[in-house]
Amino acid sequence: MKALVKSRPAPGAEILTVPDPTPAPDEVIIKVRRVAVCGTDLHIYGWDRWSQGRIKPPLIFGHEFVGEVVALGVRAEGVKLGDVVACETHVACGVCHLCRRGLMHVCERVQILGVDRSGAYAEFVAVPARNCWPIPDGMSLEVASALEPLGNAVHTVLAGEIAGCSALVTGCGPIGLFSIAVARACGAGPIVASDVNPYRLELAKKIGADVVIDAKKEDVAARTREATDGRGADVVLEMSGHPSAIRQGLQAIRNAGRMSLLGLPSDPFELDVTGLIIFKGVTVQGINGRLMFQTWRQMNELLTSGRLDIRPALTHVMAIEDYAQAMEQLKNGSAGKIVLIPWGEKAGTGKLEAAAGRA
Amino acid sequence: MKALVKSRPAPGAEILTVPDPTPAPDEVIIKVRRVAVCGTDLHIYGWDRWSQGRIKPPLIFGHEFVGEVVALGVRAEGVKLGDVVACETHVACGVCHLCRRGLMHVCERVQILGVDRSGAYAEFVAVPARNCWPIPDGMSLEVASALEPLGNAVHTVLAGEIAGCSALVTGCGPIGLFSIAVARACGAGPIVASDVNPYRLELAKKIGADVVIDAKKEDVAARTREATDGRGADVVLEMSGHPSAIRQGLQAIRNAGRMSLLGLPSDPFELDVTGLIIFKGVTVQGINGRLMFQTWRQMNELLTSGRLDIRPALTHVMAIEDYAQAMEQLKNGSAGKIVLIPWGEKAGTGKLEAAAGRA
Amino acid sequence: MKALVKSRPAPGAEILTVPDPTPAPDEVIIKVRRVAVCGTDLHIYGWDRWSQGRIKPPLIFGHEFVGEVVALGVRAEGVKLGDVVACETHVACGVCHLCRRGLMHVCERVQILGVDRSGAYAEFVAVPARNCWPIPDGMSLEVASALEPLGNAVHTVLAGEIAGCSALVTGCGPIGLFSIAVARACGAGPIVASDVNPYRLELAKKIGADVVIDAKKEDVAARTREATDGRGADVVLEMSGHPSAIRQGLQAIRNAGRMSLLGLPSDPFELDVTGLIIFKGVTVQGINGRLMFQTWRQMNELLTSGRLDIRPALTHVMAIEDYAQAMEQLKNGSAGKIVLIPWGEKAGTGKLEAAAGRA
Amino acid sequence: MKALVKSRPAPGAEILTVPDPTPAPDEVIIKVRRVAVCGTDLHIYGWDRWSQGRIKPPLIFGHEFVGEVVALGVRAEGVKLGDVVACETHVACGVCHLCRRGLMHVCERVQILGVDRSGAYAEFVAVPARNCWPIPDGMSLEVASALEPLGNAVHTVLAGEIAGCSALVTGCGPIGLFSIAVARACGAGPIVASDVNPYRLELAKKIGADVVIDAKKEDVAARTREATDGRGADVVLEMSGHPSAIRQGLQAIRNAGRMSLLGLPSDPFELDVTGLIIFKGVTVQGINGRLMFQTWRQMNELLTSGRLDIRPALTHVMAIEDYAQAMEQLKNGSAGKIVLIPWGEKAGTGKLEAAAGRA
């Protein structure tokens, strides 16, 4: 089969012909129909410090996808041939003390698709049957390919109270945009969004932010207080990974508020824990992955009931051969979520609205 | 001043001229602008068993209202002359062990406006300053007069998880209708609503129910399972007080679901606690009043951010002189929430859409 | 092998020779070292209405046990030969919507050991590997055999706030006694216990109740209020299944308190839901099984850290051949938890203190 | 009256004669019977950077105390003359959006006794009636004087799950010691405690730590994992304010664990938020004050039921005239909690065990 492979410990990737995968007893083989590009893929492609420590080339990367089940291992339960499924990409061990406690999303021996084992930039991918989530009728393939990162947003937004709460979303990349949509669908208001990229702020407005702040030009905390009658944000959803955004979020939050961190700072940084966290009585949550599979259920209901529409954040659909362009656009911030169409699918038209219109 | 008074221990009420109220040190006097009719008022008017045990005529009743602060007690804090305010109607003692634990909504010595002390079917009413909730700019008086019962709905809906949850609302009177709107605004879906009154089911659909069930003709549990791909409702919001609705709700709920009870059964009744609650691992919550004042804050944000619109449930506006008609319509189920316009206000037009359009 | 078998649809049971079990791929075979008698076993033995509807003779019953892993299925993970293990007796399907939501304890297709599949009144029993909980060093076999019912108590006590809360335990059978011990270990106080059996009330005192009430002679609600300076119980743990105890618990509970129900009423019964649940703002929880496996982890830590000692509730150790006597003693309320020693183990001495002293 | 006064903006304090306080309408006057020394008092005494920014001399400082109500303001409710009371030292405004939301402990306009208004190093002190907590019969004055800081510990320990959880307490000053005792009383185990002071580690063992670690000589994270069978701590309670202890705590915590911060770092510091908080899915809580008055109720029940005994942490009782010695001992770490006896009380004997024995 064809696959996009991180073939060498250096920047870049290449399309190669590789052997087809075969399923272990509890696995299934999925024919990939759509695969979205994650920031993690960009790190692997660019071969940054984190990738150098974690990735062992050659590796088929890519992990946000939807496809059709075309083969079943002998003990695969819960899915059947022909099911169209999205996948939880954290393959939990199932037996460590965290898995047994119901905390599979932070399994001590987790393997991540496209990071620690073969991923989905390929015609076919093998995944454990229990990681599959059959997608509901009528959901477009583009939306379905984005369920994994949307799950990050759902997990973050619903990690505490949100209905009737004011919320500040710092960082309007794809998951930040998803978070705005999810928070809005779940009764947050007003929703304030900050970023330094006008294109993304525009998308933020389109997907449901009540107020947008250009963090390069404006004082995020002051503007947030203004938008909340001086009270500050009840909830801050941090999606950028920038130390300055984390500080701004903590300045903008009301006492005893909740700040949930999903964006990954690239380095340790200095923080006024006393003034911004302890005296304020703030709760700071590190968010990783998605609750298995509570988050998937919540997401499913939000989408199928029509409460949530993420299509404004899905800005581009392109053929997988155009991966270099996709990586470049993500890097320079001129895209929301980009969805790739792999081999064997009719080439995408680039007209997402039409495609996604099936949702 | 003029007031609608429960003057004798018998069915009915009459408009009388009574002395103006004066404020205690921590109280304010409010000129009533709109006052909505509660089911409790109907009980008092009809002089049912509960009323006979609780009400001491003569009593000015009515407690869902909005008005303008026209006088301040010497130690009244947090409001000022001219503020337009809605009111929390549970006057908590502030010193019992429950109040001190932050559970003022179930204060052991609570006094309820219009039940245990003079209410708002009058030109003026005295309330503790701390029970006032200044209404936000731009909110219509009709909506504001319904904040107290809307708060019951918000308290009920938000008493547990709701986003991404399927919900069954049993009973589509005014608070049931509000609950549908609140659940929808907070990300519940699908929302199933049941009642035995076609007029109310029509309103339920209008305000946001995805599926409506006529409990007279259809099997509520079966229809709910059908609407949830066989899973049953994650959450049941019981608004009718009918034993059969409570049983139906428990049959319709999934294992480990949440059922929140606001409707008041008029008598003890038989229940299969083992089969419907214990084996299923269900949590049943009794809901009383509104959290002071967390519920008010949540409600405020839901309304001002535009996430929540309750106007479809506010079906009638009439002059307070027409109280007998209002009571009759509520009793026969031909109205949602009815808002009365007291003396000194220009007579209502009866065209709510226009009036409420100010919201 | 030898086993105690419910051989016919009638009262009683008999010791028979039956084939040894063989493990399915994900199962292990356990040589039973101790097996405790559950109230459920008593129902099956006595062939009550519930048993008649659920049990399909012939059935090896019994499900509270500890033993040694002596054979492994080819895909059994997480345990190894020679491990001494207790077992979660709810065999969850792992793929239904509840299991996937992390609610395996209320799996829609649950099979219970000794109820729906062969149990542990036998020399050997087959169980899924993932249902095994290796017991910590130094724990006595008697204590280990009671982990399953102790888990019911831990689940019930920890289903909400308990530290610094007053608690009423209604019903002092084995799990009621365990609940007293667990509540005490977790900071509840004062702990009030009620029963109608003086022997059990004596055990309640011994295991940690601060106040005991003979519900036959005393007013449970009044005595509970007295023990709590008039406030009522913060938490009620219902372990009897008697409608009168449930009513007493609801009368004794403070407003907005928590009542957790584990005891199973044998029939539907009449309840004043309005006065006892809704107006009081009480939360009533149905409790089923044990959280998998959070409850087991909590229980493990409570026992190994020495915070919890359940030995006062383990009143009898006897040979499995004496099963008829064990059933009789449980039935007439002259025992706490009874532990049986199966074939192949040196006959018990009856001196539990010595045996349990190993804990 | 006599008082210990921070009279000038410089290190030190002096005993002066000052006017007696008079009560505002909602206040009471308390004759101080015992007053304990807080770390905050040490900061004020030493005139550190924080004090220089916050304290306006002259100020009577001291805020951990117990005394007798000797005068009542005209609108003081909930206490009566002769009551012996401890006090919540955060005087909340009652009307800001946080107070109304039930978050009085982080009131935006809070005034702290002995920091922002006159404190308790005096014969008499004025406090709002609603800040008083009548102490239960039989509680020693020494224990009662420490309820305020004990409340910090109770708030921290009970800010999340604790029963059946392993816990690491970093920092064994008085509140760290209290936290060990509270965690133990609430079912935590094993409890690991770290400090750099052997005297404090000895007290930690005495008050209930299962394992103590000298952080100067040993690897806190490695030792904690060892004490928890390799799993890491479920909960970390940070009581030291040292950046290195915070880092150690985050290294020692298991994925998805809870870390509650009460100790105040004196400066911003560098932290690996990605590796220690986000990837691990950890929740970090800033803790401030005590929940009003839920924490007080929990604390009351823990003490009166005998579950909690803090006397091992109350190491010294001395006359208030010896304040300089008390400050010195706290500074050099040769004391747990020090309780002072003010003027008008018979001089202390220094034999705390006898005194505290009344508890």
Side-chain angles (χ1 to χ4, degrees), chain D residues 3-73:
Chain D
L4 178 59
V5 181
K6 183 74 188 179
S7 50
R8 289 165 308 122
E14 56 188 322
I15 294 174
L16 297 176
T17 298
V18 300
D20 286 355
T22 52
D26 63 347
E27 291 184 348
V28 303
I29 301 296
I30 298 170
K31 173 164 176 30
V32 180
R33 300 286 307 275
R34 294 290 184 282
V35 54
V37 186
C38 178
T40 300
D41 299 337
L42 194 58
H43 291 307
I44 297 173
Y45 185 75
W47 202 237
D48 73 353
R49 199 172 47 177
W50 170 82
S51 307
Q52 294 171 30
R54 177 84 173 255
I55 305 297
K56 313 283 175 233
L59 174 82
I60 301 171
F61 60 132
H63 58 271
E64 302 176 357
F65 71 102
V66 62
E68 186 183 332
V69 176
V70 294
L72 299 172

Side-chain angles (χ1 to χ4, degrees), chain A residues 115-196:
Chain A
V115 170
D116 303 309
R117 50 180 282 169
S118 294
Y121 284 153
E123 290 184 71
F124 301 98
V125 60
V127 301
R130 69 171 170 186
N131 280 54
C132 294
W133 187 268
I135 69 166
D137 290 346
M139 181 179 286
S140 78
L141 293 175
E142 285 70 27
V143 167
S145 72
L147 289 184
E148 200 256 13
L150 177 58
N152 289 127
V154 172
H155 183 189
T156 308
V157 172
L158 298 185
E161 270 189 78
I162 192 70
C165 292
S166 57
L168 166 65
V169 178
T170 51
C172 299
I175 303 185
L177 295 172
F178 290 160
S179 298
I180 292 166
V182 174
R184 186 175 181 110
C186 298
I191 298 174
V192 179
S194 69
D195 202 302
V196 295

Side-chain angles (χ1 to χ4, degrees), chain B residues 166-203:
Chain B
S166 57
L168 167 64
V169 178
T170 52
C172 300
I175 303 186
L177 295 172
F178 290 160
S179 298
I180 293 167
V182 174
R184 187 176 179 109
C186 299
I191 298 174
V192 179
S194 69
D195 203 302
V196 295
N197 176 330
Y199 171 82
R200 288 180 161 176
L201 288 173
E202 204 49 52
L203 286 174

Side-chain angles (χ1 to χ4, degrees), chain C residues 177-178 180-181 184 202-209 309-310 312-313:
Chain C
L177 295 172
F178 290 160
I180 293 167
R184 187 175 180 109
E202 204 48 52
L203 286 174
K205 227 184 275 180
K206 199 171 161 198
I207 207 164
D309 184 1
I310 60 168

Side-chain angles (χ1 to χ4, degrees), chain C residues 184-204:
Chain C
R184 187 175 180 109
C186 298
I191 298 173
V192 180
S194 69
D195 202 302
V196 295
N197 176 330
Y199 170 82
R200 288 181 160 176
L201 288 173
E202 204 48 52
L203 286 174

Side-chain angles (χ1 to χ4, degrees), chain C residues 27-357:
Chain C
E27 291 184 351
V28 302
I29 302 297
I30 297 171
K31 173 166 178 27
V32 180
R33 301 286 308 276
R34 294 289 185 283
V35 55
V37 186
C38 178
T40 300
D41 300 337
L42 194 57
H43 291 305
I44 296 172
Y45 185 76
W47 202 237
D48 73 354
R49 197 173 48 177
W50 171 83
S51 306
Q52 294 171 29
R54 177 82 173 256
I55 305 297
K56 314 282 175 235
L59 175 80
I60 302 170
F61 62 133
H63 59 272
E64 301 176 357
F65 71 103
V66 62
E68 186 182 331
V69 176
V70 294
L72 299 173
V74 293
R75 293 180 63 79
E77 283 183 282
V79 285
K80 55 185 193 309
L81 290 176
D83 280 357
V84 179
V85 299
C87 283
E88 169 53 53
T89 58
H90 284 206
V91 179
C93 76
V95 297
C96 76
H97 72 103
L98 294 166
C99 283
R100 296 204 95 189
R101 202 165 188 147
L103 302 171
M104 292 171 294
H105 66 295
V106 285
C107 167
E108 287 200 329
R109 301 181 224 157
V110 69
Q111 285 202 312
I112 301 181
L113 286 181
V115 171
D116 304 307
R117 50 181 281 172
S118 295
Y121 284 154
E123 290 185 71
F124 301 99
V125 59
V127 301
R130 68 172 173 185
N131 281 53
C132 295
W133 187 266
I135 69 166
D137 291 345
M139 180 179 287
S140 80
L141 292 174
E142 285 71 26
V143 167
S145 71
L147 290 184
E148 200 256 11
L150 177 58
N152 288 128
V154 171
H155 184 188
T156 308
V157 173
L158 298 185
E161 269 190 78
I162 192 69
C165 292
S166 57
L168 166 65
V169 179
T170 52
C172 300
I175 302 185
L177 295 172
F178 290 160
S179 298
I180 293 167
V182 173
R184 187 175 180 109
C186 298
I191 298 173
V192 180
S194 69
D195 202 302
V196 295
N197 176 330
Y199 170 82
R200 288 181 160 176
L201 288 173
E202 204 48 52
L203 286 174
K205 227 184 275 180
K206 199 171 161 198
I207 207 164
D210 297 293
V211 176
V212 297
I213 305 175
D214 186 330
K216 256 191 192 150
K217 304 177 182 165
E218 303 176 275
D219 179 328
V220 173
R223 286 290 313 279
T224 301
R225 288 197 179 273
E226 193 183 300
T228 55
D229 286 337
R231 288 187 294 271
D234 294 317
V235 177
V236 177
L237 308 168
E238 210 301 297
M239 300 292 158
S240 76
H242 283 290
S244 59
I246 295 177
R247 284 187 206 103
Q248 289 158 5
L250 288 168
Q251 284 155 357
I253 206 168
R254 67 156 164 86
N255 289 357
R258 160 175 66 113
M259 183 174 203
S260 299
L261 306 175
L262 189 77
L264 296 171
S266 50
D267 293 291
F269 62 95
E270 200 175 87
L271 192 62
D272 175 10
V273 169
T274 297
L276 294 177
I277 297 179
I278 305 179
F279 276 145
K280 295 185 79 166
V282 165
T283 294
V284 175
Q285 303 173 307
I287 305 287
N288 187 344
R290 294 143 297 278
L291 300 180
M292 294 178 211
F293 282 82
Q294 189 183 354
T295 300
W296 288 85
R297 168 61 55 209
Q298 293 166 323
M299 176 165 56
N300 194 88
E301 305 314 89
L302 285 167
L303 287 165
T304 58
S305 65
R307 306 295 180 259
L308 174 63
D309 184 1
I310 60 168
R311 287 174 296 170
L314 307 180
T315 56
H316 296 73
V317 179
M318 45 180 91
I320 197 166
E321 283 87 354
D322 298 329
Y323 65 87
Q325 182 196 329
M327 297 291 175
E328 178 54 30
Q329 281 201 254
L330 274 180
K331 193 174 164 191
N332 67 30
S334 66
K337 181 57 80 180
I338 298 177
V339 178
L340 303 177
I341 304 182
W343 308 274
E345 286 281 309
K346 214 178 85 176
T349 63
K351 293 182 195 160
L352 176 72
E353 293 306 321

